[in-house]
Amino acid sequence: MRWKQQLLTLNPYQPGKSIDEVKKQYRLKEIVKLASNENPYGCSERVLGTLEQSTGFFALYPDGYATNLRETLATHLDVFPNQIIFGNGSDEIIQIISRSLLHPGANTVMAAPTFPQYKHNAIIEGAEVREIPLKNGNHDLDEMLAAIDGQTNAVWLCSPNNPTGTYIPEDQLIAFLDRVPKDVLVVLDEAYFEYVVADDYYDSVELLTRYENLIVLRTFSKIYGLASLRIGYGIASQAIIRAIEPAREPFNVNRFALLAAEAALGDQAYVNECRQKNRQGLDQFYRYCDINNLDYYPSQGNFILIDFQVDGNEVFQFLLEKGFIVRSGPALGFPTSIRVTVGSREQNEKLLGAISEFLAAKAALS
């Protein structure tokens, strides 16, 4: 077989350990999973009610144009329906963009560390990847601009950034967009948009009216609690959407996801409630870290990256054996850290108790 050479050097995406796997391996009855930035409160009751009433259509393909959801979302965002593209999670939109723009001889610019699927897809397409190290946990926009040349086809911005939770303030983003060549697509990944409370966060939909080389990615996997149904979307000019649509698979979003997403949009009170609870959970972590002299990045997402100044895999393993699944920092580019999804108050308290056990055990050895 004459495989693409780049595939032979790539590892497939490694999901975090499943709850059942950890239960079986460590003979535990209770597991708290805080690894994948899922909503600990699940989806809204409106979504559950909609899905309970939706049966009997398994033999039919879903609406390939996502007509009802498209119209509902366009109204919600105040954009035209043909400014939206839907994907099997926003991961697929990343894949579609990469498929449409990246190829051998082209390059793409991104921060490091950031969401790994930008790089993964670029490598598959044979494009050169130009990674610009984060500066104090933030995108180094000046260096990213300096990396752009005549062969650059796409620039990736993750705001809030995964795994740091940091964001790009409005004035910095506008200054950046003003200087990016108009033939370079800027991909603004806002998977955690609904969790943001910063006063100087930008209005990306408004920016679309000013920058025709911009596409914004969002998802229903996070605050809306629909991660298992896999649905995300991109918003851009009609010209950009028209250009990338042929790279989208037909019937790529299933009917359950379409119905659930439409119902979820109609319950913004639930979104606001989850955002408020998330801030309260982050405050739990901030207070604990401050008291215990643990460094962290203030987060605008639903997760926090905590630096223990020891091997992050050691912290990860200790917590795993206590029944807590988090993400090990070394796999994310932060060797001495772990990334923790903000859970419910009770989940956070239990996890912090386990972290206290780890810190006590380390102190006893020193």
Side-chain angles (χ1 to χ4, degrees):
M1 298 291 184
R2 290 181 282 275
W3 306 109
K4 283 184 175 181
Q5 284 301 306
Q6 54 267 37
L7 285 176
L8 303 180
T9 61
L10 271 179
N11 292 320
Y13 177 75
Q14 297 294 321
K17 287 182 176 291
S18 70
I19 290 175
D20 288 341
E21 180 184 1
V22 175
K23 277 185 177 181
K24 184 177 180 180
Q25 183 175 359
Y26 297 103
R27 299 180 181 179
L28 297 169
K29 293 183 178 180
E30 182 181 355
I31 302 295
V32 176
K33 182 172 181 278
L34 299 174
S36 301
N37 303 341
E38 298 145 328
N39 187 339
Y41 307 104
C43 62
S44 80
E45 292 292 332
R46 183 175 301 194
V47 171
L48 294 176
T50 297
L51 293 180
E52 286 171 357
Q53 299 169 22
S54 304
T55 59
F57 52 69
F58 298 106
L60 303 177
Y61 285 109
D63 175 4
Y65 190 63
T67 306
N68 292 339
L69 175 59
R70 183 180 298 275
E71 293 175 356
T72 300
L73 182 58
T75 299
H76 176 73
L77 297 171
D78 193 21
V79 299
F80 292 108
N82 59 358
Q83 285 185 259
I84 302 170
I85 184 170
F86 291 100
N88 185 38
S90 56
D91 285 345
E92 190 189 19
I93 310 295
I94 294 169
Q95 185 182 60
I96 288 170
I97 293 168
S98 300
R99 215 171 160 188
S100 303
L101 280 172
L102 302 182
H103 53 78
N107 71 66
T108 182
V109 177
M110 63 195 68
T114 191
F115 187 52
Q117 289 304 296
Y118 313 146
K119 180 178 180 180
H120 187 91
N121 282 283
I123 291 173
I124 289 174
E125 300 302 332
E128 177 194 351
V129 177
R130 297 183 176 179
E131 295 182 284
I132 308 303
L134 296 174
K135 189 175 182 179
N136 299 320
N138 297 285
H139 284 66
D140 190 338
L141 297 178
D142 288 337
E143 288 300 316
M144 293 182 76
L145 280 167
I148 296 172
D149 62 20
Q151 285 69 52
T152 304
N153 282 3
V155 177
W156 306 84
L157 304 176
C158 189
S159 178
N161 186 47
N162 179 6
T164 57
T166 54
Y167 71 103
I168 304 172
E170 180 178 25
D171 58 343
Q172 295 181 26
L173 178 60
I174 290 174
F176 178 82
L177 292 172
D178 283 340
R179 296 170 62 190
V180 174
K182 301 310 176 188
D183 60 349
V184 174
L185 183 68
V186 177
V187 186
L188 186 54
D189 188 345
E190 294 185 336
Y192 302 94
F193 160 76
E194 291 85 1
Y195 284 110
V196 175
V197 298
D199 292 335
D200 57 349
Y201 196 72
Y202 45 83
D203 181 347
S204 58
V205 175
E206 188 277 328
L207 292 177
L208 290 172
T209 65
R210 297 156 56 184
Y211 301 97
E212 294 187 355
N213 60 331
L214 177 66
I215 184 168
V216 177
L217 309 187
R218 293 182 183 172
T219 182
F220 287 94
S221 294
K222 303 305 179 184
I223 207 167
Y224 287 105
L226 302 181
S228 68
L229 294 180
R230 310 306 300 128
I231 179 165
Y233 60 96
I235 325 156
S237 68
Q238 297 167 25
I240 288 176
I241 298 300
R242 186 167 55 249
I244 66 176
E245 268 283 3
R248 179 178 64 84
E249 297 292 335
F251 309 113
N252 61 326
V253 179
N254 71 80
R255 190 164 178 178
F256 281 111
L258 294 173
L259 291 169
E262 186 177 359
L265 280 173
D267 196 350
Q268 291 300 308
Y270 180 75
V271 172
N272 293 333
E273 179 185 348
C274 290
R275 181 189 303 113
Q276 182 179 3
K277 288 180 177 178
N278 182 69
R279 298 317 302 181
Q280 294 169 350
L282 279 170
D283 285 340
Q284 283 180 271
F285 283 101
Y286 293 163
R287 289 193 298 270
Y288 182 89
C289 290
D290 290 341
I291 290 171
N292 290 279
N293 297 314
L294 296 172
D295 290 332
Y296 60 91
Y297 291 110
S299 175
Q300 290 294 322
N302 67 332
F303 57 89
I304 182 170
L305 188 72
I306 304 174
D307 189 350
F308 286 80
Q309 294 298 313
V310 298
D311 183 359
N313 285 327
E314 184 182 353
V315 188
F316 166 81
Q317 187 62 36
F318 181 93
L319 295 176
L320 189 65
E321 294 177 16
K322 296 289 183 179
F324 298 92
I325 309 174
V326 299
R327 281 303 297 270
S328 177
L332 303 173
F334 288 87
T336 59
S337 300
I338 61 169
R339 191 195 67 193
V340 181
T341 303
V342 177
S344 66
R345 174 171 290 277
E346 180 183 13
Q347 288 174 330
N348 297 337
E349 287 176 351
K350 289 181 178 179
L351 174 66
L352 293 174
I355 291 176
S356 291
E357 291 182 43
F358 174 81
L359 295 176
K362 293 299 290 185
L365 293 173
S366 61

